Amino acid sequence: MKINKFLLGAFALSVGFASCSNEEPIKGDNGGATADGEKYVAVRIQSVGDNGSRAAGEGFEEGVGTESKITAENIRFYFFTDQKRPFLMSKKGINGSLASGETNMVKPNAITENITTDGTPSTLNGVLILGTPTEAYKGNKPAYVICVANPTSSIAFEKFENQNMESLLDIKATAPTSFESENEDEELTFVMTSSTYMDATGNIIYYTDLDGKIFDKADDAQKTPADIYLERLASKVRATGLQEWPIKEADENNQLVDALFDIHTLDADNKVVINEDVKLTVDLTGWRLRNKASNNYAIKNLSKSWFDAAPFKGQDNANVGLVAWNPYTYHRSYWTDPSSVLDSEITNVPFDIYDAGQFKNKNFSSTNPQENIVYCYENTIQPASASDRANRSTAIAVRGVVKMDGQPVNLCKWGGDYYTEEALKQMIINNYNGSVNDKDKLEASAVNFKEYIVEGARSNTWYAYVIVNGEEVNTGYRYSNISRWIDGQTSYVVNVKHMFDKYGVVRNHIYDYEFTNVVGLGVPGNDPKNPDPETETYLAARVHVLNWHVVSNKVILQ
């Protein structure tokens, strides 16, 4: 089994132990101070959630395709002093390269991937980065290191170079354009940075501490590497359960049963009759994501105040919440304060349920793990409810087709009653013909519909009118607030749920939805407003939130 881990096995740092001014960046060369001999530090790169000893499958999921791809060309190490200022490197003895001029950024010559069969590290050997087999690195002592991999054009390596550590927390990264590309052959890019979490005492950790990792011999360093944990900035959403479902409703015991509809239809004599206890189905044809964040902080943003507050604090003094939301032994946190909070930073692309091509994502299958998935950046804006549409939280929009007798149905709801569209038209024209002379009587084809968008109209509704001599006669909007499932087309919106009572998407998580039932007919239109109470708007689902880590929730979304 391949653990999602990249081993930068042993890179050697020869470092000097010298005092320096607290007002200047510390130089990696002697800088006029006395070096303390040749020293070595080995670094191992691991994915967040891997503590180096677990087997895969215990609440975590490996990356696929380019999700875990790291190359020497696309990774940099940034070294800092104990005062968290840039540690400027010596140019000698580096098995890598530096930018021109003085820099704290190192580009390795090579990295190697660690392959395991049981979840444990198979080797701690790797590539020397600082220090070569023939020449050691000599200089002062760095205290911390931060890693960045796979930057996009909006978050170039140079943005992190020669910055104080605290300044790195303000750098924002734009979501890669490859996430929105229709070109399936375009390689996706997954920006990764050192993981951020809170330790047991409330300190925010977003770096690797080199204390105790500096040795006189390269072999000793290789045996005790400093671990760098990386997490992707991206989240991943996928779904299953797209199929034809019988439409359900809740009975008096709140149990789901088949919904029974009384529907006005036309009989063989073109008369409007009521068919009682009709069962309908809905065919879920595809899904898409809405309200996607356009940017995030490159390094995850935590607040120190969370240590003594929900959700980290939990319900007792044992910091149960801290462990549940912030398992520091795994070098990760499950919450964030994302940078995308402004309207302009959330891409709220309207969807058109009458365009099936917009809902191209189908059922996810582990046999094709790179298909039918959508990536996005962090967004923890809280909706009013699971099915609330009038908000900026990241949500899954599901397209469905309502069917009667196995065929898509043009269905209308007016005044609390259901009609096939032809039956409603016939009823309307019958009423119209009852008030005109025989010569002015019209066929049902003279009835048409227009979206009802006047003040006071319900969302996603229409009004009916009669065309008389080419002119619209709306009869005082008598037939208005009509819900229309045109060719049965409908939609359900599910705001993505994170953990416990929180909604949102957080980096390095997989949000895995399984639709297990459908309650109601959905919303028959494209108006993004919250549906009115009269309209059935419910979708039942079982939610598995994974993170490249797994958290399971069972909820009925409505």
Side-chain angles (χ1 to χ4, degrees), residues 240-303:
T240 57
L242 297 173
Q243 63 184 61
E244 189 167 336
W245 291 94
I247 294 176
K248 300 286 187 177
E249 63 182 0
D251 64 12
E252 62 275 9
N253 298 317
N254 206 30
Q255 299 297 311
L256 292 184
V257 297
D258 287 343
L260 301 177
F261 298 86
D262 293 340
I263 301 177
H264 294 75
T265 63
L266 292 181
D267 65 9
D269 296 322
N270 227 30
K271 293 182 179 180
V272 178
V273 297
I274 298 178
N275 286 0
E276 297 181 343
D277 296 339
V278 177
K279 294 183 179 181
L280 301 176
T281 62
V282 61
D283 186 8
L284 302 181
T285 65
W287 64 275
R288 63 178 300 178
L289 216 57
R290 66 191 295 258
N291 295 345
K292 298 173 67 174
S294 61
N295 67 70
N296 277 161
Y297 287 114
I299 293 176
K300 185 162 57 184
N301 187 28
L302 302 186
S303 171

Side-chain angles (χ1 to χ4, degrees), residues 2 118 227 323-324 343-344 374 422 446:
K2 173 182 169 183
D118 60 358
D227 288 318
V323 175
D343 285 336
S344 60
V374 179
E422 61 180 4

Side-chain angles (χ1 to χ4, degrees), residues 448-518:
N448 213 334
F449 299 93
K450 185 176 292 186
E451 287 187 82
Y452 194 48
I453 55 176
V454 301
E455 184 176 354
R458 293 193 177 100
S459 59
N460 291 301
T461 59
W462 302 68
Y463 71 89
Y465 60 91
V466 179
I467 301 176
V468 181
N469 297 323
E471 299 292 332
E472 174 183 323
V473 177
N474 60 41
T475 63
Y477 296 106
R478 176 183 177 187
Y479 303 102
S480 60
N481 284 318
I482 300 169
S483 298
R484 294 179 71 211
W485 288 265
I486 301 171
D487 293 326
Q489 295 168 110
T490 191
S491 69
Y492 303 86
V493 167
V494 180
N495 290 306
V496 177
K497 195 167 187 180
H498 180 56
M499 290 171 51
F500 305 114
D501 60 342
K502 293 286 189 182
Y503 290 88
V505 291
V506 176
R507 71 184 63 191
N508 217 41
H509 279 70
I510 295 174
Y511 297 90
D512 188 18
Y513 271 77
E514 180 184 0
F515 304 118
T516 59
N517 258 313
V518 177

Side-chain angles (χ1 to χ4, degrees), residues 98-158:
L98 301 175
S100 59
E102 295 182 330
T103 181
N104 70 328
M105 179 177 69
V106 175
K107 173 183 178 295
N109 280 343
I111 62 174
T112 58
E113 183 178 0
N114 185 32
I115 305 297
T116 67
T117 58
D118 60 358
T120 59
S122 61
T123 178
L124 296 181
N125 296 321
V127 180
L128 294 177
I129 301 298
L130 304 184
T132 71
T134 59
E135 180 183 15
Y137 177 88
K138 297 181 179 180
N140 294 314
K141 179 184 178 180
Y144 308 109
V145 62
I146 288 176
C147 185
V148 176
N150 304 327
T152 62
S153 58
S154 67
I155 183 173
F157 285 130
E158 288 72 23

